[in-house]
Amino acid sequence: MLIIYVYTFTLYTYLMETLTKTTWVIDPTHSEVGFKVKHLVISTVTGTFKRFEGILETETEDFTDANCSFKLDVSSIDTNVADRDARLRSDDFFSAEHFPSINFSNGKLIQNGDSYQLVGNLTVKGISKEVALDVDLGGVMVDPHGQTKAGFEINGKINSREFGLTWNAVTAAGGVVFGDEVKLHLHVQVVRQ
């Protein structure tokens, strides 16, 4: 009898969690993952990742305490310069052959007044660090096809050296080619499933 009770309770718990969670997936056609890094300390190079996927699970209408994860395809890096992109995919930088994706896991969306903070583990080149990103919810809307979508703007910065991106060169004037700080800027639209 106890076994039946435990099984029934476990099944009930699973069903309640499944029924109360709403799953959202990133719409890649209406999203962008971008970054900026200083070059020679005098200007900024920008780039994007063209291929990515992610999921958001929430139990509330306002996304408080939502869980989030996403993955970036390293080989899709694009800075509008083919030679530079190839260099960034090489072992000097992201080592795309050995580490084909950048992953964000165990993300938790925490409400902070009118805005949010996304805290989770970022893994680059096999190195994981907890990061916190600022998030603004643009709103929720039903599109012309009847799909419910939500939009977010996500900003933050990381130190590239902390993730094993240590290649650099010193110029004749004593400056460095790349800055350590990488600014992240994402426009993300998710679709309710």
Side-chain angles (χ1 to χ4, degrees), residues 11-180:
L11 181 61
Y12 172 78
T13 303
Y14 170 78
L15 288 173
M16 290 309 293
E17 287 179 359
T18 303
L19 293 175
T20 59
K21 285 187 180 177
T22 302
T23 301
W24 305 73
V25 296
I26 290 180
D27 176 358
T29 60
H30 296 102
S31 301
E32 181 178 273
V33 176
F35 62 90
K36 296 180 179 182
V37 64
K38 284 290 187 184
H39 182 250
L40 299 176
V41 193
I42 59 170
S43 64
T44 301
V45 172
T46 62
T48 60
F49 289 91
K50 298 294 185 184
R51 290 187 300 275
F52 46 86
E53 59 187 47
I55 191 167
L56 181 72
E57 290 182 331
T58 184
E59 296 180 12
T60 64
E61 291 295 318
D62 66 359
F63 296 95
T64 301
D65 295 328
N67 294 310
C68 166
S69 63
F70 64 85
K71 179 167 71 170
L72 307 174
D73 180 347
V74 173
S75 67
S76 74
I77 196 165
D78 184 359
T79 63
N80 291 318
V81 178
D83 288 344
R84 179 170 52 213
D85 297 343
R87 183 77 187 271
L88 289 170
R89 290 184 200 103
S90 77
D91 289 342
D92 285 341
F93 288 92
F94 288 107
S95 190
E97 185 177 335
H98 300 100
F99 302 99
S101 64
I102 294 172
N103 299 296
F104 181 82
S105 60
N106 300 319
K108 190 69 140 180
L109 198 58
I110 302 163
Q111 190 166 16
N112 184 13
D114 292 337
S115 61
Y116 295 84
Q117 191 170 57
L118 179 60
V119 178
N121 296 318
L122 182 65
T123 303
V124 181
K125 292 183 73 172
I127 299 171
S128 294
K129 300 273 184 193
E130 185 176 86
V131 297
L133 307 171
D134 296 323
V135 179
D136 288 317
L137 171 62
V140 179
M141 183 69 66
V142 178
D143 73 7
H145 305 288
Q147 297 177 310
T148 302
K149 296 187 172 184
F152 299 90
E153 187 171 327
I154 304 167
N155 293 289
K157 56 187 173 183
I158 61 168
N159 184 316
S160 60
R161 291 180 126 1
E162 292 180 354
F163 292 94
L165 302 171
T166 57
W167 185 93
N168 215 333
V170 178
T171 66
V176 292
V177 175
F178 297 106
D180 292 338

